[in-house]
Amino acid sequence: MLAYAARRIALMIPTLLGVALITFFMLRVVPGDIVEVKMRSDGGYVTQELLASERARLGLDRPLVTQFGDWMQGLVTLDLGTSMWTGRPVAEEIGVRIGLTVQVALMAAVIAVLIAVPLGTISALFRDTWIDYVARIFTIAGLAVPSFWLGMLIILGLLTVFHWSPPVTYTPFFESPLKNISQLIWPALAVGYRYAAVVARMVRSSIIEVMKEDYIRTARAKGVFERMVVARHAMRNALLPAITVIGLEFAFLIGGLVVTEQVFNLNGIGRLFVEAVSRSDFILVQALVMLLAVVFVSMNLIVDMLYGVLDPRVRHG
Amino acid sequence: MSASTRDGPVMAWRRRNPVLGFIMAQPLGAAGLVVILVMAAAAIFANVVAPYDPEAIDFLAMLSPPSMEHPLGADAFGRDILTRIIYGARTALTIGFLSSFLGCTIGGLLGVTSAYFGGRVDLILQRFVDIVLSFPIIVLALVVVAVVGHRPIMGIDLNLIAAISIPIMPRAARVIRSAALAVRAMPYVDAARAGGYTHSHIILRHMAPNVLAPYLILLTAYIAQAILLEASLSFLGLGVSEPKPAWGLMLSGDSSNFYQEAPWMILFPGLAISLAVFAFNLFGDSLRDWLDPKFRT
């Protein structure tokens, strides 16, 4: 098991290196760079010398290979460089925001699983009845409704009913957990809906598959109560594929947050990313892409390891 | 079983008239198709159907609620929301279709090539696909926007189409490759090789036509994704730019300042996005069941 984990972690390195290479060179193939964006945005005339000196200050005049080497060296020592726009260390920019994003993502994941597992199971057990149809309409709609619009609808609803609007600054969790959760539950719901829909569909189809298995018939033949058959025999097996979806969708959830944070005025990683992109702050963009890639690759790893723990058939020797 | 009795007449219809057969076997998918066709018609004939000019500013109608003159109300510039939704369909469907088409075609060709050559080519291409797949779709789209900028290139939203189609490519490549692997094992491919045809001839003429079914399924499914992505990028201010009408753009900026004064500014464009994505998903799912009974769930 440990050897397997070590091998998998070692295999993450070439993937992450690939992500780094693609991101780094993609961001630099196009001539227009941040220096021009930054200086020309004022509308004034900028001399070539000034542009050149600013490039030199940011280290953009060095050969690309050297820049890449430096960046890699920085990544390994967790020095992510300095934001080209604000001039503050990237690690600091990420550090002050990451807590909020992670909290909303985790809350959304919990909400999604709490909704999806019972919904998918009921939908499968009552297949082709009106209960199933209602559940399926709910899940198909979840794939179609954009999370940012759902967020806006939630705000609209809260405004109309409770005269509540998203606060300008959010209360930190450790200051007042209750207040914090009552503020963050809404963005979590907005991004969690799609997540719940995807997971519920997976749970439904895998329960339908499992219910056809011989061991379910055996359990019923033995006279096991139907509730027990579902809880002990069907659910435990059906949740394995669901775990894959839960894990992989988590990375995509963060993608959903990129847009939804904007709606709720959340100053998180997603918002930082959008700002970095619109200001062509390449140092910040590439650091954030690496962060998201690490999250994604780690989620993959965790899912695979969990599989080994939960399913003896795929125990990794 | 009930399935076989149901399949009997359907199969007969399928042979006689594929369109009617599809409607009978997949009523939900047919409903999706109807919605798509209505939207496409509205998009094509927007200048005939729409009651106003989408960019006409009318300060007298500013924020006016739904009424006889403005069935879905007007926005902060007094522009008619129904008109902007109809013209927005043009933007959404054009960008959605072109992005999905480019992404699925280039990705699909990569997939077929990968399956055809196998060996080292396959290994390298698939490693590359693996790496690109570790970017969530919207993240990769935003990176492309950072590269190509968020201004239209030569008046066309080529930058946006690139940003949406590039994340689709590896996903299409992965699916088409697995379909093409089965085709690769067919005797006619070996026969073509023995016949001395060039690699590109075999890939394009012998293999590509045989993965048309998964290609069409992907194409429809990714139009839905592309519409959603275009709306998200436009909402973030990194997609279609004002004054061009686009659904995502209608939800950004001003509309959020008027939650209470003008909720119609928020309701209708979002409904349009949801309905379009819903219709393409419904049609895509049914098309998958129709074209490939193996995937039926």
Side-chain angles (χ1 to χ4, degrees), chain A:
Chain A
M1 188 76 179
L2 265 178
Y4 175 77
R7 202 164 62 236
R8 282 296 309 268
I9 291 172
L11 273 173
M12 280 165 65
I13 294 168
T15 307
L16 290 176
L17 193 66
V19 172
L21 267 170
I22 293 173
T23 317
F24 184 88
F25 286 101
M26 220 165 92
L27 286 171
R28 282 162 182 81
V29 284
V30 173
D33 63 309
I34 183 166
V35 177
E36 278 185 51
V37 175
K38 201 173 168 181
M39 301 198 124
R40 294 246 157 89
S41 65
D42 307 333
Y45 175 74
V46 191
T47 58
Q48 285 301 320
E49 290 79 45
L50 203 61
L51 284 176
S53 77
E54 182 67 9
R55 281 198 190 101
R57 194 181 69 77
L58 292 166
L60 297 176
D61 55 344
R62 295 168 304 156
L64 280 184
V65 181
T66 323
Q67 288 187 46
F68 184 73
D70 282 357
W71 183 44
M72 283 293 100
Q73 207 179 342
L75 277 184
V76 175
T77 55
L78 291 180
D79 170 17
L80 303 173
T82 324
S83 160
M84 293 165 136
W85 190 269
T86 63
R88 299 202 319 174
V90 169
E92 198 182 309
E93 297 278 6
I94 293 176
V96 295
R97 292 175 175 87
I98 195 160
L100 193 63
T101 302
V102 169
Q103 197 198 338
V104 176
L106 285 178
M107 282 169 73
V110 171
I111 293 171
V113 172
L114 286 181
I115 296 174
V117 173
L119 190 72
T121 311
I122 291 170
S123 186
L125 296 179
F126 293 92
R127 192 182 176 186
D128 291 331
T129 64
W130 65 270
I131 300 175
D132 182 30
Y133 292 139
V134 170
R136 279 166 73 188
I137 289 171
F138 178 80
T139 56
I140 297 174
L143 299 180
V145 174
S147 64
F148 62 91
W149 184 56
L150 185 61
M152 295 176 101
L153 289 185
I154 290 175
I155 293 177
L156 188 61
L158 291 170
L159 262 176
T160 325
V161 182
F162 299 111
H163 303 286
W164 181 90
S165 57
V168 181
T169 50
Y170 282 83
T171 317
F173 183 76
F174 294 106
E175 206 169 282
S176 164
L178 206 68
K179 202 170 170 195
N180 166 275
I181 288 180
S182 72
Q183 286 172 341
L184 294 182
I185 188 90
W186 309 112
L189 271 175
V191 283
Y193 180 27
R194 193 200 127 82
Y195 196 1
V198 176
V199 177
R201 278 162 69 98
M202 189 70 212
V203 170
R204 177 179 181 274
S205 64
S206 68
I207 294 241
I208 287 174
E209 276 309 302
V210 167
M211 293 304 274
K212 290 181 195 150
E213 294 285 341
D214 290 341
Y215 54 76
I216 297 292
R217 191 173 349 107
T218 311
R220 283 182 178 150
K222 279 195 305 188
V224 178
F225 289 116
E226 187 65 19
R227 196 187 295 168
M228 213 57 152
V229 172
V230 173
R232 281 280 173 80
H233 299 257
M235 291 270 273
R236 290 182 77 169
N237 285 292
L239 288 185
L240 279 171
I243 284 172
T244 313
V245 177
I246 292 170
L248 295 186
E249 277 290 314
F250 189 77
F252 289 87
L253 178 75
I254 295 184
L257 270 176
V258 168
V259 195
T260 314
E261 280 182 351
Q262 216 78 1
V263 178
F264 286 92
N265 272 328
L266 285 170
N267 193 13
I269 292 295
R271 190 145 184 211
L272 185 66
F273 191 42
V274 173
E275 276 171 15
V277 167
S278 51
R279 289 168 177 171
S280 325
D281 189 342
F282 293 166
I283 300 277
L284 195 50
V285 171
Q286 66 195 21
L288 287 167
V289 169
M290 283 316 288
L291 179 73
L292 292 171
V294 170
V295 170
F296 181 80
V297 178
S298 317
M299 280 320 287
N300 260 334
L301 178 71
I302 292 170
V303 166
D304 282 356
M305 302 304 296
L306 264 181
Y307 245 85
V309 175
L310 297 176
D311 190 345
R313 284 169 303 181
V314 288
R315 196 144 283 168
H316 313 292

Side-chain angles (χ1 to χ4, degrees), chain A residues 15 18-19 22-23 26 30 140 144 146 148-149 152-153 156 159 201 252 255 258-259 263 273 277-278 289 292 296, chain B residues 127-128 131 133-136 138-139 142-143 147 232 235 238 251 259-260 266-267 270-271 273-274 277-278 285:
Chain A
T15 307
V19 172
I22 293 173
T23 317
M26 220 165 92
V30 173
I140 297 174
F148 62 91
W149 184 56
M152 295 176 101
L153 289 185
L156 188 61
L159 262 176
R201 278 162 69 98
F252 289 87
V258 168
V259 195
V263 178
F273 191 42
V277 167
S278 51
V289 169
L292 292 171
F296 181 80
Chain B
R127 280 308 291 164
F128 186 72
I131 291 166
L133 281 178
S134 48
F135 294 86
I138 186 146
V139 172
L142 282 170
V143 173
V147 175
S232 303
F235 173 74
L238 298 171
L251 291 170
Y259 274 118
Q260 272 174 314
I266 288 156
L267 285 176
L271 269 178
I273 302 170
S274 306
V277 176
F278 185 70
D285 275 6

Side-chain angles (χ1 to χ4, degrees), chain B residues 94-118:
Chain B
T94 322
I95 293 180
F97 175 76
L98 285 178
S99 311
S100 179
F101 175 73
L102 269 178
C104 291
T105 307
I106 297 174
L109 283 175
L110 275 176
V112 176
T113 311
S114 189
Y116 172 74
F117 286 109

Side-chain angles (χ1 to χ4, degrees), chain B residues 116 184 188-197 199 202:
Chain B
Y116 172 74
R184 178 69 186 81
Y188 57 76
V189 177
D190 288 331
R193 295 197 66 177
Y197 289 108
H199 294 315
I202 301 175

Side-chain angles (χ1 to χ4, degrees), chain B residues 25-149:
Chain B
Q26 306 286 346
L28 280 178
L33 184 61
V34 169
V35 174
I36 294 168
L37 291 176
V38 169
M39 282 193 168
I44 293 167
F45 303 109
N47 37 357
V48 185
V49 186
Y52 294 87
D53 175 343
E55 293 172 22
I57 291 170
D58 175 7
F59 286 112
L60 290 175
M62 233 169 76
L63 300 178
S64 65
S67 62
M68 285 305 278
E69 289 102 88
H70 297 283
L72 303 182
D75 70 7
F77 295 102
R79 296 177 298 194
D80 182 54
I81 288 178
L82 177 65
T83 303
R84 289 184 67 78
I85 285 181
I86 292 171
Y87 276 90
R90 199 178 257 188
T91 312
L93 294 181
T94 322
I95 293 180
F97 175 76
L98 285 178
S99 311
S100 179
F101 175 73
L102 269 178
C104 291
T105 307
I106 297 174
L109 283 175
L110 275 176
V112 176
T113 311
S114 189
Y116 172 74
F117 286 109
R120 199 173 292 165
V121 175
D122 190 37
L123 198 73
I124 292 170
L125 273 174
Q126 291 313 307
R127 280 308 291 164
F128 186 72
V129 164
D130 273 341
I131 291 166
V132 185
L133 281 178
S134 48
F135 294 86
I137 291 190
I138 186 146
V139 172
L140 184 53
L142 282 170
V143 173
V144 178
V145 169
V147 175
V148 297

